[in-house]
Amino acid sequence: MEIEIIENVFKYNEAQASTNREIFKENNIVVFNLLSSPGAGKTSLILETLKRLKNRLNIGVVEGDISSTHDAMKIKEYIDEVVQINTGGTCHLNATMVAKAIEKLDLKDLDVLIIENVGNLICPVSFDLGEDFKVLVSSVSEGHDKPVKYPPIFVRSNLILLNKIDLLNGSDFDTSLFEGKVTELNPGVQIIKLSCKTGVGIDEWIKWLEARVSGKILNVREFSKNSK
Ligand SMILES: Nc1nc2c(ncn2[C@@H]2O[C@H](COP(=O)(O)OP(=O)(O)OP(=O)(O)O)[C@@H](O)[C@H]2O)c(=O)[nH]1
Ligand SMILES: [Mg+2]
Ligand SMILES: [Zn+2]
């Protein structure tokens, strides 16, 4: 009985995620779902991204938290198109929450949507939101054993960022153990080491993001050209 209920929850979510995906496609928006444990640096990364890209791309942000508008207020200093979702205690975002949030955004004007998921390394990865890419932010202060202890999120992310590398000095974080395990779980996945504090590695992340954006928008353009 319990298994049946859980299966229904996932089926319902999949259906809503497909609808979200259609909406994003119609509006030509590339969507990134940012995942991490609490405090790994998702909001800091969004702020660094906005500083560099807000004049080149139209970016919207959906902020997911169990409560507060703390993170959304920081984002608002850079862009208007930001919506806060308060999950009321739920430890992940689901596709229905995102569907409601994007009703408040002017989608036709956006190129990119960044969704900051609830800080949690476990269930957010099981809920498709209709995104194009899942980006995992891991950080030095969490320790190098996170891929060993929480494998599914490392397996299913399209990019792994290792944030807070400014803290490597004097820490026992073993970068090669971390990278080795990530590569074993998700062969070929790119790992970018960066610091939102010093700015090291941020340009590489921006390059990765921009390549995904032009890749999708070009594909959509090619698609509509061929279908005429
Ligand atoms: N030393 C260091 N601190 C960082 C770095 N990036 C973020 N921080 C700090 O880490 C703390 C948490 O960063 P946030 O960006 O709020 O993390 P988050 O993932 O959005 O956190 P939640 O939304 O609570 O899940 C803040 O005090 C940041 O200033 C970094 O590269 N180096
Ligand atoms: Mg945050
Ligand atoms: Zn959850």
Side-chain angles (χ1 to χ4, degrees), residues 90-93 120 122-124 127:
T90 302
C91 48
H92 56 267
L93 293 180
N120 175 357
I122 306 165
C123 42
F127 288 84

Side-chain angles (χ1 to χ4, degrees), residues 36 38-44 71 116 163-164 166-167 195-197:
S36 88
K42 299 178 295 302
T43 307
S44 305
D71 286 351
E116 176 174 345
N163 188 30
K164 307 196 186 183
D166 56 290
L167 301 178
S195 167
C196 292
K197 190 168 177 186

Side-chain angles (χ1 to χ4, degrees), residues 169-201:
N169 234 341
S171 100
D172 63 358
F173 190 98
D174 187 326
T175 313
S176 53
L177 277 183
F178 177 85
E179 289 182 314
K181 188 65 192 177
V182 170
T183 305
E184 186 190 314
L185 291 168
N186 190 345
V189 74
Q190 193 175 342
I191 304 169
I192 300 177
K193 289 177 260 183
L194 51 81
S195 167
C196 292
K197 190 168 177 186
T198 66
V200 169

Side-chain angles (χ1 to χ4, degrees), residues 88-106:
T90 302
C91 48
H92 56 267
L93 293 180
N94 64 38
T96 306
M97 294 172 192
V98 170
K100 286 201 183 115
I102 60 177
E103 281 174 8
K104 297 185 188 137
L105 294 174
D106 206 350

Side-chain angles (χ1 to χ4, degrees), residues 96-173:
T96 306
M97 294 172 192
V98 170
K100 286 201 183 115
I102 60 177
E103 281 174 8
K104 297 185 188 137
L105 294 174
D106 206 350
L107 293 179
K108 63 179 187 328
D109 287 340
L110 293 185
D111 304 308
V112 170
L113 181 68
I114 302 178
I115 303 172
E116 176 174 345
N117 218 307
V118 179
N120 175 357
L121 286 183
I122 306 165
C123 42
V125 76
S126 303
F127 288 84
D128 184 3
L129 306 178
E131 74 274 17
D132 296 290
F133 302 99
K134 293 188 202 306
V135 175
L136 175 62
V137 185
S138 203
S139 65
V140 167
S141 51
E142 292 162 65
H144 55 243
D145 59 359
K146 291 300 145 312
V148 177
K149 296 180 70 175
Y150 303 93
I153 202 161
F154 285 88
V155 169
R156 294 175 59 190
S157 292
N158 303 102
L159 175 70
I160 311 290
L161 301 176
L162 176 61
N163 188 30
K164 307 196 186 183
I165 59 162
D166 56 290
L167 301 178
L168 273 174
N169 234 341
S171 100
D172 63 358
F173 190 98

